[in-house]
Short mmCIF file of all heavy atoms in Angstrom, two decimals:
data_model
loop_
_atom_site.label_atom_id
_atom_site.label_comp_id
_atom_site.label_asym_id
_atom_site.label_seq_id
_atom_site.Cartn_x
_atom_site.Cartn_y
_atom_site.Cartn_z
N PRO A 7 0.81 -1.23 0.00
CA PRO A 7 0.00 0.00 0.00
C PRO A 7 0.84 1.27 0.00
O PRO A 7 0.47 2.26 -0.64
CB PRO A 7 -0.84 -0.13 1.28
CG PRO A 7 -0.12 -1.11 2.14
CD PRO A 7 0.54 -2.05 1.20
N ALA A 8 1.98 1.25 0.69
CA ALA A 8 2.82 2.44 0.73
C ALA A 8 3.44 2.72 -0.64
O ALA A 8 3.40 3.84 -1.15
CB ALA A 8 3.91 2.30 1.79
N ALA A 9 4.02 1.69 -1.25
CA ALA A 9 4.64 1.88 -2.57
C ALA A 9 3.61 2.34 -3.59
O ALA A 9 3.89 3.22 -4.42
CB ALA A 9 5.30 0.58 -3.02
N LYS A 10 2.44 1.77 -3.55
CA LYS A 10 1.36 2.14 -4.48
C LYS A 10 1.02 3.62 -4.34
O LYS A 10 0.86 4.34 -5.35
CB LYS A 10 0.14 1.27 -4.20
CG LYS A 10 -1.06 1.54 -5.11
CD LYS A 10 -2.17 0.53 -4.81
CE LYS A 10 -3.37 0.70 -5.75
NZ LYS A 10 -4.13 1.93 -5.48
N ALA A 11 0.92 4.10 -3.11
CA ALA A 11 0.53 5.49 -2.87
C ALA A 11 1.52 6.46 -3.50
O ALA A 11 1.12 7.50 -4.05
CB ALA A 11 0.42 5.74 -1.36
N PHE A 12 2.79 6.15 -3.43
CA PHE A 12 3.81 7.06 -3.98
C PHE A 12 4.00 6.88 -5.48
O PHE A 12 4.13 7.86 -6.22
CB PHE A 12 5.13 6.86 -3.23
CG PHE A 12 5.08 7.38 -1.82
CD1 PHE A 12 4.81 6.52 -0.76
CD2 PHE A 12 5.28 8.72 -1.54
CE1 PHE A 12 4.74 6.98 0.54
CE2 PHE A 12 5.21 9.20 -0.23
CZ PHE A 12 4.94 8.33 0.81
N LEU A 13 4.03 5.63 -5.95
CA LEU A 13 4.20 5.39 -7.38
C LEU A 13 3.10 6.06 -8.19
O LEU A 13 3.36 6.64 -9.26
CB LEU A 13 4.21 3.89 -7.66
CG LEU A 13 5.46 3.12 -7.25
CD1 LEU A 13 5.22 1.62 -7.38
CD2 LEU A 13 6.68 3.54 -8.08
N GLU A 14 1.88 5.98 -7.71
CA GLU A 14 0.75 6.55 -8.45
C GLU A 14 0.81 8.08 -8.49
O GLU A 14 0.10 8.70 -9.29
CB GLU A 14 -0.56 6.08 -7.84
CG GLU A 14 -0.83 4.60 -8.09
CD GLU A 14 -2.15 4.11 -7.54
OE1 GLU A 14 -2.70 4.76 -6.62
OE2 GLU A 14 -2.63 3.07 -8.02
N ARG A 15 1.65 8.67 -7.66
CA ARG A 15 1.85 10.13 -7.69
C ARG A 15 3.16 10.51 -8.35
O ARG A 15 3.61 11.65 -8.25
CB ARG A 15 1.77 10.68 -6.26
CG ARG A 15 0.36 10.62 -5.67
CD ARG A 15 0.35 10.99 -4.19
NE ARG A 15 -1.01 11.16 -3.68
CZ ARG A 15 -1.79 10.16 -3.29
NH1 ARG A 15 -1.33 8.90 -3.35
NH2 ARG A 15 -3.00 10.39 -2.84
N GLY A 16 3.80 9.54 -9.02
CA GLY A 16 5.01 9.82 -9.76
C GLY A 16 6.26 9.97 -8.91
O GLY A 16 7.25 10.54 -9.36
N ILE A 17 6.21 9.45 -7.70
CA ILE A 17 7.36 9.53 -6.78
C ILE A 17 8.10 8.20 -6.82
O ILE A 17 7.50 7.14 -6.62
CB ILE A 17 6.89 9.86 -5.35
CG1 ILE A 17 6.25 11.27 -5.33
CG2 ILE A 17 8.05 9.79 -4.36
CD1 ILE A 17 5.54 11.61 -4.04
N HIS A 18 9.39 8.24 -7.08
CA HIS A 18 10.21 7.04 -7.17
C HIS A 18 10.24 6.31 -5.82
O HIS A 18 10.25 6.95 -4.75
CB HIS A 18 11.63 7.38 -7.59
CG HIS A 18 11.70 8.20 -8.84
ND1 HIS A 18 11.28 7.75 -10.07
CD2 HIS A 18 12.13 9.48 -9.04
CE1 HIS A 18 11.46 8.69 -10.97
NE2 HIS A 18 11.97 9.74 -10.38
N VAL A 19 10.28 5.00 -5.86
CA VAL A 19 10.24 4.18 -4.65
C VAL A 19 11.50 3.33 -4.52
O VAL A 19 11.91 2.65 -5.47
CB VAL A 19 9.00 3.27 -4.64
CG1 VAL A 19 9.08 2.24 -3.50
CG2 VAL A 19 7.73 4.11 -4.50
N ILE A 20 12.12 3.42 -3.36
CA ILE A 20 13.24 2.55 -2.97
C ILE A 20 12.75 1.74 -1.79
O ILE A 20 12.53 2.28 -0.71
CB ILE A 20 14.48 3.38 -2.60
CG1 ILE A 20 14.90 4.28 -3.77
CG2 ILE A 20 15.63 2.47 -2.18
CD1 ILE A 20 15.94 5.32 -3.41
N CYS A 21 12.52 0.44 -2.00
CA CYS A 21 11.80 -0.37 -1.03
C CYS A 21 12.66 -1.51 -0.49
O CYS A 21 13.38 -2.16 -1.23
CB CYS A 21 10.55 -0.95 -1.70
SG CYS A 21 9.47 -1.89 -0.59
N ASP A 22 12.54 -1.72 0.81
CA ASP A 22 13.24 -2.84 1.43
C ASP A 22 12.62 -4.15 0.96
O ASP A 22 11.49 -4.19 0.49
CB ASP A 22 13.16 -2.72 2.95
CG ASP A 22 14.37 -3.32 3.64
OD1 ASP A 22 15.46 -3.30 3.05
OD2 ASP A 22 14.22 -3.83 4.76
N LYS A 23 13.39 -5.25 1.08
CA LYS A 23 12.91 -6.56 0.69
C LYS A 23 12.31 -7.28 1.89
O LYS A 23 12.54 -6.86 3.01
CB LYS A 23 14.01 -7.41 0.05
CG LYS A 23 15.32 -7.51 0.79
CD LYS A 23 15.47 -8.08 2.14
CE LYS A 23 14.77 -9.24 2.70
NZ LYS A 23 14.85 -9.25 4.21
N PRO A 24 11.51 -8.35 1.70
CA PRO A 24 10.97 -8.79 0.42
C PRO A 24 9.96 -7.78 -0.13
O PRO A 24 9.54 -6.87 0.59
CB PRO A 24 10.29 -10.12 0.76
CG PRO A 24 9.93 -10.00 2.20
CD PRO A 24 11.02 -9.18 2.82
N LEU A 25 9.60 -7.95 -1.38
CA LEU A 25 8.76 -6.97 -2.04
C LEU A 25 7.47 -6.71 -1.28
O LEU A 25 7.09 -5.55 -1.04
CB LEU A 25 8.45 -7.44 -3.47
CG LEU A 25 7.62 -6.51 -4.33
CD1 LEU A 25 8.37 -5.21 -4.61
CD2 LEU A 25 7.24 -7.20 -5.65
N THR A 26 6.79 -7.78 -0.91
CA THR A 26 5.52 -7.69 -0.17
C THR A 26 5.41 -8.90 0.75
O THR A 26 6.26 -9.79 0.74
CB THR A 26 4.31 -7.68 -1.12
OG1 THR A 26 4.37 -8.87 -1.94
CG2 THR A 26 4.30 -6.45 -2.03
N SER A 27 4.33 -8.97 1.50
CA SER A 27 4.12 -10.10 2.42
C SER A 27 3.45 -11.29 1.76
O SER A 27 3.41 -12.38 2.34
CB SER A 27 3.28 -9.65 3.63
OG SER A 27 2.01 -9.17 3.20
N ASN A 28 2.92 -11.12 0.54
CA ASN A 28 2.27 -12.24 -0.15
C ASN A 28 2.37 -12.05 -1.66
O ASN A 28 2.59 -10.93 -2.15
CB ASN A 28 0.82 -12.39 0.30
CG ASN A 28 -0.03 -11.17 -0.03
OD1 ASN A 28 -0.40 -10.94 -1.18
ND2 ASN A 28 -0.32 -10.35 0.99
N LEU A 29 2.18 -13.14 -2.39
CA LEU A 29 2.38 -13.12 -3.83
C LEU A 29 1.31 -12.31 -4.55
O LEU A 29 1.60 -11.66 -5.56
CB LEU A 29 2.41 -14.56 -4.36
CG LEU A 29 2.83 -14.75 -5.82
CD1 LEU A 29 4.17 -14.10 -6.11
CD2 LEU A 29 2.86 -16.24 -6.17
N GLU A 30 0.10 -12.31 -4.04
CA GLU A 30 -0.97 -11.52 -4.67
C GLU A 30 -0.60 -10.04 -4.67
O GLU A 30 -0.72 -9.35 -5.69
CB GLU A 30 -2.29 -11.74 -3.93
CG GLU A 30 -3.46 -10.96 -4.53
CD GLU A 30 -4.75 -11.12 -3.75
OE1 GLU A 30 -4.76 -11.88 -2.76
OE2 GLU A 30 -5.75 -10.47 -4.14
N ASP A 31 -0.15 -9.54 -3.52
CA ASP A 31 0.25 -8.13 -3.45
C ASP A 31 1.47 -7.86 -4.32
O ASP A 31 1.60 -6.77 -4.90
CB ASP A 31 0.55 -7.75 -2.00
CG ASP A 31 -0.70 -7.46 -1.19
OD1 ASP A 31 -1.81 -7.45 -1.78
OD2 ASP A 31 -0.59 -7.27 0.03
N ALA A 32 2.39 -8.82 -4.39
CA ALA A 32 3.58 -8.65 -5.21
C ALA A 32 3.21 -8.44 -6.67
O ALA A 32 3.75 -7.56 -7.36
CB ALA A 32 4.51 -9.85 -5.05
N LYS A 33 2.28 -9.25 -7.16
CA LYS A 33 1.86 -9.12 -8.56
C LYS A 33 1.11 -7.81 -8.79
O LYS A 33 1.27 -7.17 -9.84
CB LYS A 33 0.99 -10.32 -8.94
CG LYS A 33 1.76 -11.63 -9.00
CD LYS A 33 0.85 -12.81 -9.31
CE LYS A 33 1.64 -14.11 -9.41
NZ LYS A 33 0.76 -15.28 -9.67
N LYS A 34 0.30 -7.40 -7.82
CA LYS A 34 -0.41 -6.13 -7.95
C LYS A 34 0.57 -4.95 -7.94
O LYS A 34 0.40 -3.99 -8.70
CB LYS A 34 -1.44 -5.98 -6.82
CG LYS A 34 -2.64 -6.91 -6.95
CD LYS A 34 -3.77 -6.52 -6.00
CE LYS A 34 -3.39 -6.70 -4.56
NZ LYS A 34 -4.54 -6.45 -3.63
N LEU A 35 1.60 -5.04 -7.11
CA LEU A 35 2.59 -3.97 -7.05
C LEU A 35 3.38 -3.89 -8.36
O LEU A 35 3.70 -2.80 -8.84
CB LEU A 35 3.53 -4.17 -5.87
CG LEU A 35 4.60 -3.10 -5.65
CD1 LEU A 35 4.00 -1.70 -5.66
CD2 LEU A 35 5.34 -3.35 -4.34
N LYS A 36 3.69 -5.03 -8.93
CA LYS A 36 4.37 -5.02 -10.23
C LYS A 36 3.51 -4.30 -11.27
O LYS A 36 4.02 -3.50 -12.08
CB LYS A 36 4.68 -6.44 -10.70
CG LYS A 36 5.22 -6.49 -12.14
CD LYS A 36 5.57 -7.86 -12.61
CE LYS A 36 5.74 -7.93 -14.13
NZ LYS A 36 6.63 -6.88 -14.69
N ASP A 37 2.22 -4.57 -11.27
CA ASP A 37 1.32 -3.92 -12.21
C ASP A 37 1.32 -2.41 -12.02
O ASP A 37 1.38 -1.64 -12.99
CB ASP A 37 -0.10 -4.47 -12.05
CG ASP A 37 -1.06 -3.94 -13.10
OD1 ASP A 37 -0.79 -4.12 -14.30
OD2 ASP A 37 -2.08 -3.33 -12.72
N VAL A 38 1.28 -1.97 -10.76
CA VAL A 38 1.32 -0.54 -10.46
C VAL A 38 2.65 0.07 -10.92
O VAL A 38 2.68 1.13 -11.55
CB VAL A 38 1.12 -0.29 -8.95
CG1 VAL A 38 1.36 1.18 -8.60
CG2 VAL A 38 -0.28 -0.71 -8.51
N ALA A 39 3.76 -0.62 -10.59
CA ALA A 39 5.08 -0.10 -10.94
C ALA A 39 5.28 -0.02 -12.45
O ALA A 39 5.88 0.93 -12.97
CB ALA A 39 6.16 -0.97 -10.30
N ASP A 40 4.78 -1.02 -13.16
CA ASP A 40 4.93 -1.04 -14.62
C ASP A 40 4.18 0.12 -15.28
O ASP A 40 4.60 0.62 -16.33
CB ASP A 40 4.44 -2.37 -15.19
CG ASP A 40 5.38 -3.53 -14.90
OD1 ASP A 40 6.52 -3.28 -14.48
OD2 ASP A 40 4.96 -4.69 -15.08
N LYS A 41 3.09 0.53 -14.69
CA LYS A 41 2.28 1.61 -15.26
C LYS A 41 2.69 2.99 -14.79
O LYS A 41 2.33 4.00 -15.40
CB LYS A 41 0.80 1.38 -14.91
CG LYS A 41 0.19 0.14 -15.54
CD LYS A 41 -1.24 -0.07 -15.06
CE LYS A 41 -1.86 -1.33 -15.66
NZ LYS A 41 -3.23 -1.59 -15.14
N ALA A 42 3.45 3.07 -13.70
CA ALA A 42 3.76 4.35 -13.07
C ALA A 42 4.84 5.12 -13.84
O ALA A 42 5.72 4.53 -14.47
CB ALA A 42 4.23 4.13 -11.64
N ASP A 43 4.76 6.42 -13.73
CA ASP A 43 5.81 7.29 -14.28
C ASP A 43 6.85 7.54 -13.19
O ASP A 43 7.15 8.67 -12.80
CB ASP A 43 5.20 8.61 -14.75
CG ASP A 43 6.24 9.50 -15.43
OD1 ASP A 43 7.24 8.95 -15.95
OD2 ASP A 43 6.04 10.74 -15.44
N ALA A 44 7.36 6.45 -12.66
CA ALA A 44 8.33 6.51 -11.57
C ALA A 44 9.08 5.19 -11.52
O ALA A 44 8.59 4.16 -11.99
CB ALA A 44 7.62 6.77 -10.23
N LEU A 45 10.26 5.23 -10.94
CA LEU A 45 11.11 4.04 -10.85
C LEU A 45 10.84 3.27 -9.56
O LEU A 45 10.42 3.85 -8.55
CB LEU A 45 12.58 4.45 -10.90
CG LEU A 45 13.04 5.18 -12.15
CD1 LEU A 45 14.44 5.75 -11.95
CD2 LEU A 45 12.99 4.26 -13.36
N PHE A 46 11.10 1.98 -9.61
CA PHE A 46 11.00 1.15 -8.41
C PHE A 46 12.32 0.40 -8.23
O PHE A 46 12.77 -0.31 -9.13
CB PHE A 46 9.85 0.14 -8.52
CG PHE A 46 9.63 -0.64 -7.25
CD1 PHE A 46 8.68 -0.23 -6.32
CD2 PHE A 46 10.40 -1.76 -6.96
CE1 PHE A 46 8.49 -0.93 -5.13
CE2 PHE A 46 10.22 -2.47 -5.78
CZ PHE A 46 9.27 -2.05 -4.86
N ILE A 47 12.93 0.59 -7.07
CA ILE A 47 14.21 -0.05 -6.74
C ILE A 47 14.02 -0.88 -5.48
O ILE A 47 13.48 -0.39 -4.48
CB ILE A 47 15.31 1.01 -6.53
CG1 ILE A 47 15.57 1.80 -7.81
CG2 ILE A 47 16.60 0.34 -6.04
CD1 ILE A 47 14.77 3.08 -7.92
#
């Protein structure tokens, strides 16, 4: 939820691992990151 909030506003995200707590959220976050005008590290 945190990464989504910033990516959708065009703010680059540098996130600690693991990506998320479950695979469903991981796939949703990838979808958000792929569409965002921001980088994900």
Side-chain angles (χ1 to χ4, degrees):
K10 181 175 183 289
F12 289 96
L13 287 170
E14 290 182 339
R15 290 172 171 82
I17 296 170
H18 308 296
V19 170
I20 302 168
C21 184
D22 210 31
K23 50 61 38 198
L25 182 65
T26 57
S27 60
N28 62 75
L29 189 54
E30 180 183 358
D31 280 354
K33 291 177 178 178
K34 289 193 294 185
L35 182 50
K36 172 178 164 51
D37 186 58
V38 172
D40 287 347
K41 294 176 181 176
D43 185 24
L45 300 169
F46 186 96
I47 297 93

